[in-house]
Amino acid sequence: MPISHRLLALSVAVMWGLNFIAIDASLAQFPPFLLVALRFAIIAVPTVLLVPRPQVPVRWLLGYGIGFGILQFLFLYWGMAVGMPTGLASLVLQSSAPFTVLLGAIAFRDRVTARQLVGLGAATLGLAVVGWSQAQAAAFAPFLLVLAGGFGWAIGNVSNARAKAPNPLHLTLWMSVVPPVPMFVLSLIVEGPGVMGASFSPGPHMVPALLGLAYTVLIGTIVGSGVWTWLMARHPAGVVAPFSMLVPVVGLSASAVLLGEDIEVATAVGAALVIGGVLWGSLRKANPPVPSGVEEEAPPHLSTRETVGS
């Protein structure tokens, strides 16, 4: 992988890590369910008008949209809105990796290697440590909400992998068509029309919130996912995917510097276990050359990380 491409992969990790700062800014103005609806509606409208629908089974498009689009961000934004620290949210969301391996093995009988099992165990232990530290800080409920978001991402991952889209970026864009209507309805029922309307009133948080929303849509989703998809199409997944483990590193660091969030020792240990476990599980041993005409299949976890980020 050329140095220029490695720098591109690093830039995507930075974009996605800073995405959590942008989300935090937007949540200061908009309620979480409405914010999810707005995020995807902004992408969905031009997608329906300008982008051809990907030729994939509808069930996998819906599964991707419901898991990655609705469940992931519903629980992530909800968890952050009720107290989950921004940096830790970027870390706990990486639970999608072990959840993806488990879902693939249980629901689709995907093969799980010994390396993946070791990585899964380490990541699970790390999440338990982080959860324990959050329980001590009376923030266990937000931790569970973000953990549920990671499970939603995993549902989206396995659906994405089985869609086998000829153009993954088109699938990513069309996935955004699924969340807006259900999330607007959920916001109307749970948050209420009064709160929804008041969130559009001018105030001190409005400009940062809109800038955060613009960053999430344009940089985090369109540019970040576009560059990531471009890299995945040109290099083996095992070379590109480990760069995603820098996302929580950037998220934790940026939150500490920009938001003044403290990182306790137990949390740092848990973070190291999560990042190390997911990274270890995503790496592959060198395989013998594949005979001509035989396509090598990527492991379930790596084949599902074509599009990541929040």
Side-chain angles (χ1 to χ4, degrees), residues 9 30 33 39 53 57 100 104 133 167 177 193 227 256 262 267 274 294:
F30 299 104
F33 299 162
R39 168 180 179 154
R53 191 180 78 81
T100 298
S133 68
N167 189 323
V177 176
V227 172
D262 294 327
T267 300
V274 173
V294 178

Side-chain angles (χ1 to χ4, degrees), residues 46-62:
T47 293
V48 171
L49 295 176
L50 302 174
V51 180
R53 191 180 78 81
Q55 299 303 305
V56 300
V58 173
R59 67 181 182 276
W60 297 127
L61 175 59
L62 290 175

Side-chain angles (χ1 to χ4, degrees), residues 227-254:
V227 172
W228 190 260
T229 301
W230 184 85
L231 289 170
M232 289 293 252
R234 287 160 177 76
H235 302 285
V239 174
V240 181
F243 280 90
S244 68
M245 286 299 94
L246 295 175
V247 172
V249 175
V250 175
L252 286 164
S253 302

Side-chain angles (χ1 to χ4, degrees), residues 16-166:
W16 285 339
L18 294 177
N19 215 19
F20 290 86
I21 305 295
I23 293 169
D24 179 73
S26 295
L27 285 171
Q29 179 72 26
F30 299 104
F33 299 162
L34 176 61
L35 183 59
V36 176
L38 291 173
R39 168 180 179 154
F40 286 105
I42 292 171
I43 304 173
V45 172
T47 293
V48 171
L49 295 176
L50 302 174
V51 180
R53 191 180 78 81
Q55 299 303 305
V56 300
V58 173
R59 67 181 182 276
W60 297 127
L61 175 59
L62 290 175
Y64 188 20
I66 292 170
F68 185 90
I70 295 178
L71 297 179
Q72 176 187 192
F73 292 103
L74 183 160
F75 287 113
L76 171 64
Y77 283 23
W78 187 6
M80 291 178 65
V82 297
M84 185 65 175
T86 303
L88 281 182
S90 70
L91 171 71
V92 174
L93 203 62
Q94 297 302 315
S95 61
S96 64
F99 279 142
T100 298
V101 174
L102 288 176
L103 275 179
I106 294 172
F108 301 99
R109 298 183 180 180
D110 290 336
R111 184 175 63 89
V112 180
T113 66
R115 178 183 291 268
Q116 285 177 313
L117 286 175
V118 172
L120 177 64
T124 302
L125 178 60
L127 287 170
V129 172
V130 173
W132 176 82
S133 68
Q134 288 304 291
Q136 305 307 304
F140 191 57
F143 167 81
L144 291 179
L145 288 172
V146 178
L147 196 65
F151 185 74
W153 184 357
I155 294 173
N157 277 344
V158 296
S159 300
N160 181 7
R162 279 152 185 83
K164 301 186 184 302

Side-chain angles (χ1 to χ4, degrees), residues 127-304:
L127 287 170
V129 172
V130 173
W132 176 82
S133 68
Q134 288 304 291
Q136 305 307 304
F140 191 57
F143 167 81
L144 291 179
L145 288 172
V146 178
L147 196 65
F151 185 74
W153 184 357
I155 294 173
N157 277 344
V158 296
S159 300
N160 181 7
R162 279 152 185 83
K164 301 186 184 302
N167 189 323
L169 184 56
H170 284 187
L171 177 62
T172 299
L173 292 173
W174 268 87
M175 173 275 299
S176 69
V177 176
V178 178
V181 172
M183 290 308 303
F184 272 123
V185 172
L186 185 62
S187 177
L188 186 64
I189 295 172
V190 176
E191 295 164 341
V195 172
M196 294 172 69
S199 67
F200 290 98
S201 300
H205 300 295
M206 177 59 83
V207 172
L210 292 177
L211 290 175
L213 182 59
Y215 181 96
T216 301
V217 171
L218 298 175
I219 307 300
T221 302
I222 296 177
V223 176
S225 296
V227 172
W228 190 260
T229 301
W230 184 85
L231 289 170
M232 289 293 252
R234 287 160 177 76
H235 302 285
V239 174
V240 181
F243 280 90
S244 68
M245 286 299 94
L246 295 175
V247 172
V249 175
V250 175
L252 286 164
S253 302
S255 299
V257 173
L258 300 177
L259 303 179
E261 293 182 357
D262 294 327
I263 303 176
E264 298 180 356
V265 174
T267 300
V269 171
L273 285 169
V274 173
I275 295 170
V278 174
L279 181 59
W280 176 261
S282 71
L283 295 177
R284 303 176 65 191
K285 293 182 179 179
N287 293 324
V290 179
S292 177
V294 178
E295 183 179 356
E296 183 181 9
E297 183 179 358
H301 169 50
L302 291 184
S303 65
T304 59

